Amino acid sequence: MVADKVLIIGGVAGGASTAARLRRLDEEAEIILLERGEYISYANCGLPYYIGGVIEERDSLFVTTPGDFSQRFNVEVRVENEALSINREDREVKILNHSTGEEYRESYDYLVLSPGAEPLRPPLPNIDSPGIFSLRTIPDTDKIYSFINNNRPKKAVIVGAGYIGLEMAENLHQRGLEVTVVELSPQVLAPVDADMAALVQQYLRSKGLKMHLGDGVKKFNRTEKGNLKVELNGGGIIDTDMVLLSIGIKPETGLASEAGLEVGRGIKVNDYMQTSDPAIYALGDAVEVTHLVTGNPAVIPLGGPANKQGRIVANNIAGRKERYRGSQGSSVLRIFDLTVATTGANERMLAGAGIPYSSVIIHPDDHAGYFPGSQPLALKLLFSPAGAILGAQAAGFRGAEKRIDVLATALRSGISVPDLQELELAYAPPYSSAKDPVNIAGFVAGNILQGDYKTIESAELLKMDKTEQLQVLDVRENSEYEEGHIEGAINIPLGELRNRFDELDRGKETVTYCSQGLRSYLACRILTQHGFAMPRNINGGFRTFRALEQEMQQG
């Protein structure tokens, strides 16, 4: 049975899902949902697409209205009511009704905190100038939408190359604006590794986006004509008509902190989503959870985990004890026609946690090569020396999210690299190959675990003296070599390798490569079995190397 009275602060994914689940468990409980804004449940992931015109009707953004939610679930919904403080001793919350200006107190048996997060706005000069926006809420969306329609801007600067930043870059570009992306990090999309990000960056440049990576904003200025100048740390100046700040978000922990609850990167909770006060639960973008792979505290602001946490909070309040086992950060982004998806940990996270790992990058076709329309899919798998799956990243025009969903399921279920080889996945020529890319990743990773061959990362090779320290062997056909190759590489097509060993120096370490990595893997096996010291194969082949090389030159 649910406690007599449950007070929920904050709606959208976490708070609303908690309220709905609680009502399904108990018809008699008193449930009050406070939301400081006008809307309790809306599709905040859809906001960029409304601005871009993909979602045509504003009303489509609303999952439910306060009236409908209240009627369906018998929950007292109070919009424009903001929680000001929590009195834990008396189990009361001080609340401000923004519509009337009235302050009042509301008691609770259990309190649920779902305050969300707020966009970061660093104290840069003139950051509050007209034409500079953040995007988090419906009112933010309305301001941007109205500005574009009324002012007809021709240029936009996006500050930050995360998910929202790139989605907005696409949607503004689709509306005819010239878009420039400024990102302090040397790459887009922090969840993916640099080698995978390089492939994405190459694609974004091909679509006409301008990018300033590894550079940040120093200040903003408005000109006499009313447009904006964005001055960068590196000295560059960008003329623009509008700016969107997508630098990141900060968990809203003020209410919890002032109430004396434990706060780290977010509101600290245990496995049952309880704060340091057992009568107060917290969830969503505001909380600090455990990363499923690294075991470290993490803030992972995603709608999927927030909804699941809401259900778990409701179950625990109702006496149905259930643990939240941690977040793995599975996410997906569509940017123009390209899909980028991730799950688990990336290299930076693994290195920071001191977890040893290896990786493979493959470029299989997204479906059978003989069926029309197949295109390469970039898939990266990170795994431990024992074969545990630690993370995965994919980028492609079809099927990237499908493969990441399989690997996300495998990661959470404890499936290992050898198990990937045996997964029986749906196959028909328009959708996959008899050996799915997930199977292939398992085969390649398994070869490394079995000691059949070694890899070298493109970033490492780019830093090495390729004439003195080693010999680089290109086993592609002569025509492929002539179209582009690694400087100083020896070109011996795979089919000729056994007859041309005398052209190689057995005293040097050998690095092999082809377009994607398959032919050069075969070359590694040939060389190893003919007495060469075990060569290393470029992880991801020439496709990955060239993308990373070109992006490093851009920087």
Side-chain angles (χ1 to χ4, degrees):
M1 181 66 65
V2 178
D4 291 337
K5 187 175 183 180
V6 179
L7 185 60
I8 302 170
I9 298 175
V12 195
S17 63
T18 302
R21 176 63 175 171
L22 275 171
R23 178 55 72 220
R24 292 195 295 272
L25 295 176
D26 193 321
E27 271 291 301
E28 302 302 321
E30 181 181 0
I31 305 172
I32 300 173
L33 175 61
L34 303 176
E35 171 55 54
R36 66 185 172 192
E38 298 179 52
Y39 314 101
I40 64 161
S41 187
Y42 58 89
N44 49 4
C45 293
L47 301 183
Y49 298 100
Y50 170 66
I51 293 171
V54 178
I55 297 173
E56 296 181 359
E57 298 296 330
R58 183 176 180 274
D59 287 348
S60 299
L61 297 171
F62 299 103
V63 179
T64 186
T65 66
D68 289 344
F69 190 87
S70 179
Q71 184 177 27
R72 173 172 290 189
F73 295 107
N74 190 25
V75 170
E76 185 178 347
V77 178
R78 301 178 189 172
V79 295
E80 297 187 286
N81 277 248
E82 181 179 3
L84 300 178
S85 62
I86 302 168
N87 183 334
R88 291 167 52 198
E89 184 175 350
D90 296 333
R91 292 197 177 186
E92 283 186 343
V93 175
K94 183 179 179 182
I95 302 165
L96 170 63
N97 184 328
H98 285 285
S99 297
T100 65
E102 172 196 5
E103 289 187 4
Y104 64 98
R105 285 174 168 77
E106 192 69 60
S107 64
Y108 64 86
D109 294 312
Y110 283 99
L111 179 64
V112 178
L113 302 180
S114 181
E118 60 181 340
L120 292 174
R121 288 183 72 91
L124 298 172
N126 305 313
I127 194 170
D128 294 321
S129 299
I132 301 178
F133 304 95
S134 296
L135 179 61
R136 183 72 178 170
T137 65
I138 291 289
D140 294 337
T141 306
D142 291 338
K143 290 176 184 177
I144 297 171
Y145 192 88
S146 176
F147 179 87
I148 293 173
N149 287 344
N150 294 334
N151 294 275
R152 304 295 179 185
K154 293 181 173 59
K155 297 180 180 181
V157 169
I158 310 291
V159 183
Y163 285 79
I164 295 296
L166 292 187
E167 286 172 348
M168 280 300 298
E170 174 193 358
N171 280 281
L172 292 178
H173 182 275
Q174 300 287 52
R175 292 199 62 167
L177 279 74
E178 178 186 300
V179 178
T180 301
V181 177
V182 177
E183 169 57 54
L184 187 60
S185 167
Q187 68 168 73
V188 302
L189 298 175
V192 306
D193 294 319
D195 40 25
M196 293 292 286
L199 298 168
V200 178
Q201 288 157 204
Q202 293 275 289
Y203 174 73
L204 295 179
R205 294 184 197 278
S206 75
K207 300 300 289 187
L209 294 190
K210 298 179 180 180
M211 290 189 287
H212 293 263
L213 304 178
D215 204 351
V217 175
K218 183 177 182 180
K219 64 179 179 179
F220 301 100
N221 291 306
R222 283 197 76 81
T223 68
E224 294 180 359
K225 295 181 179 180
N227 63 332
L228 292 160
K229 287 186 178 292
V230 182
E231 185 174 335
L232 304 181
N233 292 332
I237 296 177
I238 306 171
D239 292 315
T240 189
D241 301 312
M242 64 177 291
V243 173
L244 179 81
L245 301 174
S246 185
I247 303 170
I249 58 175
K250 178 182 178 182
E252 295 209 25
T253 59
L255 196 63
S257 180
E258 290 167 8
L261 301 175
E262 290 186 24
V263 171
R265 296 178 62 188
I267 303 171
K268 291 193 173 185
V269 293
N270 61 17
D271 290 350
Y272 300 97
M273 305 307 297
Q274 287 173 301
T275 68
S276 51
D277 183 332
I280 303 177
Y281 290 77
L283 70 158
D285 294 357
V287 300
E288 177 184 283
V289 296
T290 300
H291 194 281
L292 188 66
V293 175
T294 67
N296 290 337
V299 175
I300 302 178
L302 295 169
N307 275 282
K308 296 174 183 68
Q309 291 163 9
R311 183 181 178 89
I312 289 172
V313 167
N315 287 347
N316 285 318
I317 291 175
R320 299 187 178 190
K321 290 298 181 183
E322 183 177 353
R323 299 175 63 185
Y324 185 70
R325 296 196 296 146
S327 296
Q328 65 195 79
S330 298
S331 58
V332 63
L333 164 75
R334 190 198 74 179
I335 175 72
F336 297 104
D337 296 321
L338 185 71
T339 297
V340 184
T342 69
T343 191
N346 58 24
E347 290 190 5
R348 175 181 49 79
M349 295 167 63
L350 294 171
I355 298 174
Y357 68 92
S358 296
S359 74
V360 295
I361 302 173
I362 60 174
H363 295 275
D365 286 344
D366 56 16
H367 63 255
Y370 63 82
F371 192 88
S374 65
Q375 297 186 69
L377 170 74
L379 178 61
K380 181 171 186 176
L381 178 68
L382 298 119
F383 53 97
S384 75
I389 298 169
L390 302 175
Q393 302 156 31
F397 299 101
R398 281 186 302 271
E401 75 289 350
K402 169 186 174 181
R403 274 70 190 207
I404 290 300
D405 281 343
V406 171
L407 291 167
T409 304
L411 191 159
R412 185 165 284 269
S413 302
I415 290 174
S416 67
V417 164
D419 296 322
L420 295 181
Q421 302 172 11
E422 300 180 11
L423 288 182
E424 186 174 326
L425 303 172
Y427 158 61
Y431 301 104
S432 184
S433 298
K435 289 188 288 189
D436 189 85
V438 172
N439 299 133
I440 295 172
F443 293 137
V444 177
N447 289 336
I448 292 177
L449 291 174
Q450 292 168 6
D452 288 342
Y453 85 119
K454 297 179 180 179
T455 59
I456 183 172
E457 301 303 318
S458 296
E460 179 184 353
L461 184 60
L462 283 164
K463 297 176 183 177
M464 297 176 70
D465 184 333
K466 291 180 278 296
T467 57
E468 297 297 327
Q469 299 180 32
L470 49 81
Q471 59 189 349
V472 179
L473 174 61
D474 184 328
V475 298
R476 298 174 300 160
E477 296 302 312
N478 301 130
S479 58
E480 296 175 89
Y481 179 86
E482 291 171 1
E483 290 176 359
H485 58 269
I486 296 176
E487 184 180 357
I490 304 167
N491 180 215
I492 304 178
L494 178 64
E496 303 174 17
L497 181 59
R498 291 180 179 87
N499 298 320
R500 296 174 62 179
F501 288 148
D502 58 344
E503 298 178 34
L504 299 174
D505 186 342
R506 291 177 179 267
K508 286 185 177 181
E509 179 187 4
T510 303
V511 168
T512 63
Y513 76 90
C514 63
S515 176
Q516 302 177 20
L518 174 58
R519 285 174 289 175
S520 49
Y521 160 65
L522 299 175
C524 285
R525 298 300 302 147
I526 291 170
L527 292 171
T528 300
Q529 294 178 75
H530 282 81
F532 285 78
M534 182 173 285
R536 291 194 285 171
N537 195 17
I538 295 179
N539 195 7
F542 186 64
R543 180 169 291 152
T544 300
F545 178 91
R546 174 49 59 90
L548 188 61
E549 180 184 48
Q550 290 178 343
E551 285 302 308
M552 291 176 67
Q553 291 170 352
Q554 288 278 354

